């Protein structure tokens, strides 16, 4: 069966510090991968998606970037965090291509102080 | 612009008191509508996918239905363990992302 992992589970970082969040999927190959952010009082917002190694598409302009160095690994990064980057970051995957249900990881709670 | 609106924002029920959650959407060419359950501090858990008007899906005490403009999540005889936030999302023919509503937070008391 397929499993999706995210780490760390929680993170507290000062403004201006770098960020690296990791997501890995087990038990499948060539998944589509997604990064979402869930802010308080707002719905989930898609940040990035990837259909393959090295292929990244950004949905919204922001202080963040994403990379996919391996088939089942997706990384969310920032060089300098802003207060507005605080939120709950969720990684998701789908095995069937764009347009089908997505399965979410456990999430990373990021607090920028 | 594609939009998803869920109502009510919060719903309190007594155990065994059936009710429905609403998800209305405006999207150009619906490709699919999805329901998720999210517990506090956790990632959303997939429940159902509906693809066309008239379609229905059931899982235990939950039943999802779809019309051309909205979807309902019916909860029959809920139990306290059904307490969670229920999220609705859509994807259009040309889209990549799931477009989520803000969710309905359900509280079921015994």
């Amino acid at each position: 069966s397929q499993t999706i992992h995210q780490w760390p589970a929680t993170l507290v970082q000062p403004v201006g510090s770098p960020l690296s969040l990791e997501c890995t999927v087990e038990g499948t190959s060539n998944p589509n991968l997604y990064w979402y952010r869930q802010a308080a009082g707002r719905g989930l917002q898609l940040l990035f998606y990837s259909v393959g190694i090295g292929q990244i598409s950004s949905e919204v302009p922001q202080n963040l970037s994403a990379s996919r160095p391996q088939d089942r690994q997706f990384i969310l990064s920032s060089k300098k965090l802003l207060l507005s980057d605080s939120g709950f970051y969720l990684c998701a995957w789908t095995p069937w291509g764009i347009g089908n249900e997505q399965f979410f990881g456990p999430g990373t709670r990021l607090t920028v102080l | 612009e594609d939009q998803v609106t869920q109502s009510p924002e919060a719903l309190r029920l007594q155990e065994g008191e059936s009710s429905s959650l609403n998800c209305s959407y405006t999207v150009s060419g619906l490709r699919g509508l999805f329901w998720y359950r999210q517990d506090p501090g956790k990632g959303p858990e997939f429940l159902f996918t509906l693809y066309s008007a008239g379609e229905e899906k059931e899982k235990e005490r939950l039943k999802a239905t779809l019309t051309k403009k909205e979807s309902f999540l019916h909860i029959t005889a809920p139990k306290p363990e059904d307490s969670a936030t229920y999220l609705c999302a859509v994807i259009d023919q040309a889209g990549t992302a799931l477009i989520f509503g803000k969710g309905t937070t359900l509280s079921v008391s015994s």
Side-chain angles (χ1 to χ4, degrees):
Chain A
S1 64
Q2 298 87 9
T3 309
I4 180 169
H5 303 279
Q6 287 186 245
W7 64 88
T10 60
L11 192 60
V12 180
Q13 292 285 92
V15 169
S17 63
L19 173 74
S20 181
L21 304 181
E22 189 167 342
C23 170
T24 59
V25 181
E26 295 179 353
T28 188
S29 60
N30 198 30
N32 289 335
L33 297 172
Y34 308 82
W35 278 112
Y36 287 86
R37 177 168 58 204
Q38 188 173 36
R42 302 182 63 180
L44 276 79
Q45 181 186 37
L46 180 69
L47 302 175
F48 301 94
Y49 70 93
S50 172
V51 298
I53 297 174
Q55 301 178 63
I56 308 295
S57 296
S58 175
E59 288 293 301
V60 294
Q62 59 208 314
N63 186 42
L64 303 168
S65 62
S67 62
R68 186 168 175 176
Q70 300 180 39
D71 182 46
R72 290 166 289 182
Q73 183 185 34
F74 205 21
I75 297 173
L76 184 68
S77 304
S78 174
K79 293 182 179 179
K80 290 185 178 182
L81 284 169
L82 306 172
L83 286 173
S84 57
D85 291 324
S86 293
F88 192 45
Y89 288 83
L90 290 155
C91 181
W93 74 283
T94 182
W96 298 294
I98 294 170
N100 293 284
E101 57 265 20
Q102 298 174 12
F103 301 95
F104 287 83
T108 295
R109 174 71 60 188
L110 172 66
T111 303
V112 182
L113 301 176
Chain B
E1 180 180 334
D2 297 340
Q3 287 189 324
V4 178
T5 303
Q6 292 188 247
S7 62
E9 291 185 13
L11 181 62
R12 292 183 180 274
L13 299 174
Q14 291 289 319
E15 185 172 4
E17 180 186 3
S18 301
S19 188
S20 296
L21 312 182
N22 177 264
C23 171
S24 62
Y25 61 89
T26 53
V27 65
S28 55
L30 181 70
R31 191 167 180 171
L33 184 141
F34 309 88
W35 282 99
Y36 288 85
R37 169 192 170 129
Q38 186 174 25
D39 292 305
K42 297 189 176 181
E45 174 189 348
F46 171 72
L47 294 174
F48 304 109
T49 303
L50 301 167
Y51 291 107
S52 57
E55 190 174 0
E56 300 181 351
K57 295 274 181 72
E58 287 188 67
K59 180 181 181 180
E60 296 180 354
R61 296 176 292 282
L62 301 177
K63 179 180 177 180
T65 62
L66 181 65
T67 72
K68 289 188 177 181
K69 294 190 175 182
E70 58 190 350
S71 176
F72 292 93
L73 184 65
H74 308 276
I75 303 177
T76 302
K79 298 182 178 181
E81 53 261 43
D82 294 322
S83 298
T85 296
Y86 291 86
L87 301 173
C88 172
V90 300
I91 192 164
D92 64 14
Q93 291 291 344
T96 303
L98 295 180
I99 302 166
F100 280 87
K102 294 183 180 181
T104 294
T105 299
L106 173 65
S107 299
V108 182
S109 55
S110 56

